[in-house]
Amino acid sequence: MTELSDDATDDAHLWREEIRSLVSGANLVVLIAVIALGVWGVFDSMTDADGDRVWGTLVVVAPGIYAGWCMLEASWRSGDMTSLLLRLVSACLIAPLLALIPIAVVQAIAVAFPGVRDTIAQAAAQNTGFHYFWDEGVVSQLYLVPIAGYAIGACIGLGVALIITLPVLSIRSPGVVSAGSHIEKVDGARRSSTTAFVFVGLGITVLGIALWAFGEGGSILEFPEDFGRLMNTLSHGYFHWDQAMWLIGAVLVVTGVLSMGWGCVRVLTARVRENGFAA
């Protein structure tokens, strides 16, 4: 019972230190800046009935900016696997709340004033009754925006972890991300390079999937045809970003999968060698 109590105390201490780190130093400066951007987005969205300006989206993107920063910061911090896992959880699940709650409170207080609601209604009336940001109604906006901000924040935090933080740490401090995994069975200097192959490959694959999803293109079998179409448009002085994103994404996915595959082959070879020696 004493050991369990000590473990619980240690875990609580680690969590307190992790939460404290989210609201101290550079993280606090970024948090304040992000909240200011989100509040700006709240008020800008009220008059932008057509949704022409991007500033109104800050109200849902701001929590993701802070979550992404917190996860990015872990890529140059010294630490171990425990601190990395704590930061992964806190950046994805706690950091967005720290940003979106103040923004949501300001939004709720603002729309409590009749003049603010009149501003929203007037902007919609001047845009044939449609309001890009507030068309669902004031009440719906008060809970839809925080939900969207939290979901986006969690996704951005996870995306930064997979695409940037883990690949950077796999090169900078490979022992941190490979601790406790089968990669540790790989001998010598090959262990560091194997860690990089696996996690850099993972990051490249995730980035490629994201570009693939947002770009214009079909299956990987259509790559030669789409590549030829892109070259043809370039020869005529045109350039389509969505088509280029799909092609780059397809290349990254293939490259990332090959990189991860080679790393896994090294790990499996090391396991077979170890088991063979043990036998």
Side-chain angles (χ1 to χ4, degrees):
M1 291 295 292
T2 302
E3 291 182 1
L4 291 175
S5 177
D6 291 341
D7 290 341
T9 301
D10 291 341
D11 291 343
H13 175 72
L14 289 174
W15 272 112
R16 283 195 298 270
E17 290 298 318
E18 175 60 26
I19 301 303
R20 188 178 294 115
S21 71
L22 294 179
V23 291
S24 61
N27 292 342
L28 179 60
V29 175
V30 173
L31 176 59
I32 294 172
V34 161
I35 292 173
L37 288 174
V39 171
W40 181 17
V42 168
F43 290 101
D44 186 82
S45 69
M46 294 173 180
T47 57
D48 186 18
D50 202 35
D52 292 330
R53 302 189 295 267
V54 300
W55 310 117
T57 60
L58 287 173
V59 68
V60 293
V61 175
I65 296 175
Y66 177 60
W69 162 262
C70 290
M71 197 64 246
L72 181 64
E73 190 223 6
S75 63
W76 61 75
R77 285 197 315 172
S78 58
D80 53 17
M81 176 60 78
T82 300
S83 63
L84 178 61
L85 291 176
L86 286 174
R87 176 50 59 94
L88 177 62
V89 174
S90 66
C92 293
L93 302 181
I94 300 175
L97 289 174
L98 297 177
L100 72 86
I101 289 177
I103 297 171
V105 169
V106 170
Q107 181 177 249
I109 294 174
V111 298
F113 292 92
V116 173
R117 296 197 299 271
D118 289 342
T119 299
I120 297 172
Q122 290 171 10
Q126 295 173 4
N127 193 45
T128 66
F130 173 76
H131 200 301
Y132 182 83
F133 293 103
W134 293 82
D135 196 54
E136 296 295 329
V138 171
V139 176
S140 297
Q141 191 79 349
L142 292 179
Y143 68 83
L144 288 176
V145 167
I147 291 174
Y150 186 74
I152 292 173
C155 290
I156 290 179
L158 180 60
V160 170
L162 296 176
I163 297 173
I164 301 177
T165 303
L166 290 177
V168 168
L169 285 176
S170 70
I171 297 173
R172 178 176 172 272
S173 303
V176 172
V177 295
S178 65
S181 70
H182 290 297
I183 297 177
E184 291 187 325
K185 298 182 184 298
V186 181
D187 296 328
R190 287 166 57 89
R191 181 184 304 167
S192 297
S193 60
T194 300
T195 304
F197 275 123
V198 172
F199 287 97
V200 172
L202 174 62
I204 292 174
T205 301
V206 174
L207 177 59
I209 292 173
L211 293 176
W212 192 333
F214 287 103
E216 178 185 346
S219 70
I220 194 68
L221 298 177
E222 298 175 26
F223 181 87
E225 179 182 350
D226 287 342
F227 182 75
R229 188 181 301 115
L230 177 63
M231 292 297 101
N232 183 56
T233 56
L234 284 175
S235 66
H236 290 84
Y238 298 100
F239 185 77
H240 299 291
W241 279 105
D242 52 358
Q243 192 176 37
M245 284 172 59
W246 134 246
L247 292 171
I248 295 172
V251 172
L252 290 179
V253 168
V254 173
T255 304
V257 169
L258 290 176
S259 177
M260 286 190 296
W262 179 241
C264 290
V265 167
R266 282 187 169 186
V267 173
L268 290 174
T269 302
R271 290 186 63 186
V272 170
R273 186 183 300 114
E274 182 184 59
N275 292 334
F277 290 157

